[in-house]
Amino acid sequence: MSTLFLRTLRDDPADAEVPSHKLLVRAGYVRRAAPGVYSWLPLGLRVLRAVEQVVREEMDAIGAQEILLPALLPREPYEATNRWTEYGDNLFRLKDRKGVDMLLGPTHEELFSQLVKGEYSSYKDLPVILYQIQTKYRDEERPRAGILRGREFVMKDSYSFDLDDDGLKVAYNLHREAYQKIFNRLGVKYVIVSATSGAMGGSASEEFLAESEVGEDTFVRCVESGYAANVEAVVTPAPEPLPFDDAPAAQVHDTENTPTIATLVAWANSALDREVTAADTLKNVLVKLQVPGAEPEIVGIGVPGDREVDMKRLEAAVEPASVELLTEEDFAANPFLVKGYVGPNALLGNGLRYLVDPRVVDGTRWITGADQPGKHVVDLVAGRDFVPTGTIEAAEVREGDLSPDGKGVLTAAKGIEIGHIFQLGQKYTNAFEVDVLGESGKPVRLTMGSYGVGVSRLVAVIAEQCHDDKGLRWPREVTPFDVHVVIANKDAAAIDGAEALAAELDAQALSVVLDDRKASPGVKFKDAELLGVPTTMVVGRGFAGGVVEVRDRFTGEAREIPVEGAAAAIAAIVRG
Ligand code: ATP
Ligand code: MG
């Protein structure tokens, strides 16, 4: 450590909010170079390489073959799939000296498709799974938490190519099992959740989410049935339509001073002779959808008034469009939109799309805006007084909601996406006409899967799940060193003895960091805890009496062992 390129910091970096970010910077694992762009210092790089190695071994074990594509890519393939445009601001675009457009790869479906098309021509060549561990670039809107969400990050991305759907399912399941092994080896606590609504049938896509309070993904699960899904993928069970022949006619009421759902409900309970809750009101939220490269579109989203619109669910539902709320200028430009009193009919009557929550089925009666200042309409019946353009999954999902499979209720938790497996089908093979000659002599269009693991993100995820108030606590699989040897004794004999012990540990094929700095034992112990190596050997006062101390970073337990045979004893601890 007297020569190691390492400086630990006493204070948390000012821009860090989550523990992993604070600790990885304080412990000298990474340093910020620009927002969302980080340098890896010696200890950080060792952990990153260890994670890579676990991923590589498990990918190799399913017969996937490692290759490496460039990160600097031509525009044309991304033009062919429209992702040059669809990716929007997230794509790093650049020009070469001749003015030719290029990009920094955010993910590589296009290039892998082209590559397979170029190399393979017969059904006999298939199936194949190719992967790379490579640096990716995405100009994230909100880079966050250090390496957790970077603009430059390391991903393992793999792509499977098969002759038919059965083959694709095999490749998908191979990945699913490999990912389970990877995350188990890394000691990550995770859940597998569906990432698509299942509308396409089955498990077309699943995400692996590491359980964490600081996660940006919310997932729900149902203990009774085992259902688990990213909230973005939850499908709201729609109730049966109701008969409305006997429903009263819609009535417009003066409702001065009811700017919020709560005040509207209070008004309704005093003015109407029935009990009303927020769930009886229909809240219309106006948004502007922006498909990259197209004109923005104003759309009305109708949700029961007891629920908020969940922007992430809405964004997932309208992808690749981005979502913005309307500005004052937008209202001014569309005078039929009466702010605070927008109802279904002004939207539909003026040619806007009006998308509603699936609970808004025919026959349901609503209290909603009457498209006039200070007025609401009561008993507006869906299917009779207005016919929405369609439904949308935009309302928030809450704990206690019925599980979509009807077998219990949902509970919610936060997670960080560490892996994603996806049965793509023929989207990319169609774009590039990736065909091989089939057994029958006719061309067969290949079908494809794509599978990602956030390799650099995992370093932060492990730090997030494995730390305490003193510092990091690495699992054995990824620790930068197996053993941290602290010299806590100024005697020349002890110093020599520590160096000899470190050499013996090294001879046991263990990786060792030796704290030989001229610093106080207190400083060294603090740093050892901060760095988080699972086993520390302290060569201290007891050395003259023939003992050293072994400390366990996980349990905090310390015990003395004889110097004689210490290296072998520690090797046994490390190897478990
Ligand atoms: P997110 O929802 O977190 O933005 P994503 O769905 O865009 O992720 P994918 O395109 O599925 O991510 O990429 C595969 C994996 O790469 C993800 O599961 C995640 O672990 C990792 N990853 C994605 N974006 C980043 C990032 N900005 N920084 C670090 N890792 C990332
Ligand atoms: Mg994903």
Side-chain angles (χ1 to χ4, degrees), residues 36 87 90 106-107 109 136-138 140 142-144 146-157 183 207-208 216-217 230 232 312 416-422 450-458 461:
Y87 241 104
N90 261 13
T107 171
E109 282 76 5
K136 298 276 187 278
Y137 296 87
R138 294 182 186 178
E140 298 275 356
R142 283 177 288 273
R144 182 176 164 264
I147 54 171
L148 205 54
R149 179 176 296 286
R151 296 195 297 164
E152 176 182 284
F153 59 97
V154 181
M155 194 201 289
K156 184 286 298 176
D157 47 326
F183 301 133
E207 286 168 353
F208 292 71
E216 290 182 279
D217 282 277
N230 194 313
E232 292 171 12
K312 285 193 82 178
I416 305 168
E417 185 183 322
I418 47 176
H420 191 175
I421 52 179
F422 203 162
S450 111
Y451 318 87
V453 170
V455 173
S456 53
R457 176 178 283 183
L458 272 166
V461 165

Side-chain angles (χ1 to χ4, degrees), residues 19-21 23-25 29-30 39-41 43-53 55 145-148 154 183 186 188 210 416-418 453-467 472-475 478-480:
S20 61
H21 185 192
L23 289 170
L24 289 169
V25 172
Y29 281 67
V30 297
S39 307
W40 295 87
L41 305 192
L43 298 182
L45 188 59
R46 291 177 77 99
V47 178
L48 180 68
R49 291 277 185 262
V51 173
E52 270 182 38
Q53 193 49 32
V55 172
I147 54 171
L148 205 54
V154 181
F183 301 133
L186 295 176
V188 177
I416 305 168
E417 185 183 322
I418 47 176
V453 170
V455 173
S456 53
R457 176 178 283 183
L458 272 166
V459 175
V461 165
I462 297 167
E464 200 58 53
Q465 288 191 344
C466 306
H467 71 269
L472 299 160
R473 297 202 289 191
W474 295 109
V478 298
T479 179

Side-chain angles (χ1 to χ4, degrees), residues 385-440:
D385 301 323
F386 68 100
V387 178
T389 319
T391 59
I392 189 163
E393 292 291 348
E396 63 180 324
V397 176
R398 285 197 300 237
E399 294 210 331
D401 282 352
L402 195 63
S403 174
D405 58 16
K407 291 184 189 143
V409 293
L410 299 176
T411 56
K414 297 253 176 220
I416 305 168
E417 185 183 322
I418 47 176
H420 191 175
I421 52 179
F422 203 162
Q423 296 183 26
L424 283 174
Q426 296 180 320
K427 174 171 177 196
Y428 294 88
T429 52
N430 281 339
F432 298 103
E433 302 182 333
V434 187
D435 297 337
V436 294
L437 210 56
E439 207 169 351
S440 65

Side-chain angles (χ1 to χ4, degrees), residues 308-325:
E308 300 298 330
V309 166
D310 176 336
M311 289 309 261
K312 285 193 82 178
R313 263 168 65 72
L314 175 56
E315 277 164 10
V318 300
E319 228 201 318
S322 62
V323 181
E324 277 170 53
L325 293 176

Side-chain angles (χ1 to χ4, degrees), residues 18 63 67 147 204 225 245 259 336 361 418 420 503 547:
V18 311
I67 61 177
I147 54 171
S225 67
D245 293 344
F336 58 91
V361 292
I418 47 176
H420 191 175
V547 291

Side-chain angles (χ1 to χ4, degrees), residues 102-115:
M102 302 196 78
L103 65 132
L104 297 177
T107 171
H108 280 66
E109 282 76 5
E110 285 82 352
L111 276 282
F112 275 77
S113 303
Q114 284 190 326
L115 195 63

